Amino acid sequence: MAKESSFDIVSKVDFSEVANAINMAMKEIQNRYDFKGSSSDIKLEGEELVLISDDEFKMNQLKDVLISKLIRRNVPIKNLHYEKLENAFGGNVRQRAKLVSGIDKENAKKINSLIKNSKLKVKSQIQDDQIRVSGKSKDDLQKVIAIIREADLPIDVQFVNFR
């Protein structure tokens, strides 16, 4: 009898890499001419980024710098969900961005239905904020990974614990 193989689908954000990206972005902002005298700042508060800048134009530039640094540090940008721009103290603007870690119920159901619709001989089950996929054929598991990579999901997923 063939042994079952499995892997887990997870969505994780490495917060130490996020902190490194923020430090790199702040160094670039302090050295850029168009940010001289600006009160632009990026902070990590728990699982949320707080961006503060002088106006909406500088806020967009600040986000561009931050995103380029996050990409360079291999932090998934899809897991960054921006909230509405709001006015802050001293005529500045503030924007919060939540770093989503883990697969929520809605996305887990989408992934589960993708796997079921593939008609492959695999089982998938939701376990807290991850999904375990198991099957006898490693080829089927590889096909599941390919299907999920091609799917347009609102979060970035990783595949771990391939056994």
Side-chain angles (χ1 to χ4, degrees):
M1 180 138 176
K3 185 181 165 219
E4 266 201 7
S5 300
S6 68
F7 68 89
D8 296 331
I9 303 171
V10 297
S11 180
K12 291 185 179 176
V13 175
D14 187 356
F15 286 98
S16 62
E17 290 296 338
V18 172
N20 290 338
I22 290 171
N23 290 336
M24 290 170 50
M26 288 309 297
K27 282 181 184 175
E28 181 175 326
I29 287 165
Q30 290 166 356
N31 292 329
R32 276 181 48 169
Y33 179 76
D34 54 340
F35 278 100
K36 291 286 185 220
S38 169
S39 61
S40 298
D41 191 24
I42 306 169
K43 292 180 189 160
L44 181 63
E45 294 178 356
E47 292 187 7
E48 194 172 64
L49 290 173
V50 179
L51 293 89
I52 299 172
S53 195
D54 296 339
D55 53 38
E56 193 172 341
F57 178 73
K58 277 207 171 97
M59 177 63 75
N60 289 332
Q61 288 181 316
L62 184 66
K63 285 197 281 191
D64 287 343
V65 171
L66 176 64
I67 287 172
S68 71
K69 302 305 177 195
L70 288 171
I71 289 171
R72 195 172 289 157
R73 306 294 299 182
N74 293 322
V75 176
I77 301 303
K78 277 186 169 181
N79 291 14
L80 201 58
H81 296 279
Y82 289 101
E83 294 178 8
K84 203 174 91 180
L85 199 67
E86 57 190 43
N87 290 327
F89 182 72
N92 294 339
V93 291
R94 177 184 332 138
Q95 189 165 23
R96 296 180 182 276
K98 186 160 177 53
L99 286 159
V100 178
S101 192
I103 302 173
D104 61 329
K105 295 273 186 223
E106 184 179 314
N107 288 318
K109 287 179 183 176
K110 282 182 192 175
I111 293 170
N112 241 348
S113 67
L114 281 170
I115 294 168
K116 297 251 188 283
N117 293 339
S118 70
K119 305 287 190 225
L120 295 169
K121 292 185 178 182
V122 294
K123 292 181 283 190
S124 62
Q125 57 202 55
I126 301 170
Q127 299 176 337
D128 295 327
D129 60 349
Q130 65 183 24
I131 299 171
R132 163 103 8 117
V133 181
S134 57
K136 291 187 189 225
S137 170
K138 287 189 178 184
D139 290 339
D140 284 349
L141 295 178
Q142 293 287 349
K143 289 175 187 172
V144 168
I145 290 174
I147 289 168
I148 293 171
R149 279 200 176 125
E150 289 174 12
D152 186 29
L153 297 171
I155 56 171
D156 189 66
V157 293
Q158 297 90 31
F159 307 97
V160 296
N161 297 339
F162 200 99
R163 298 174 205 162

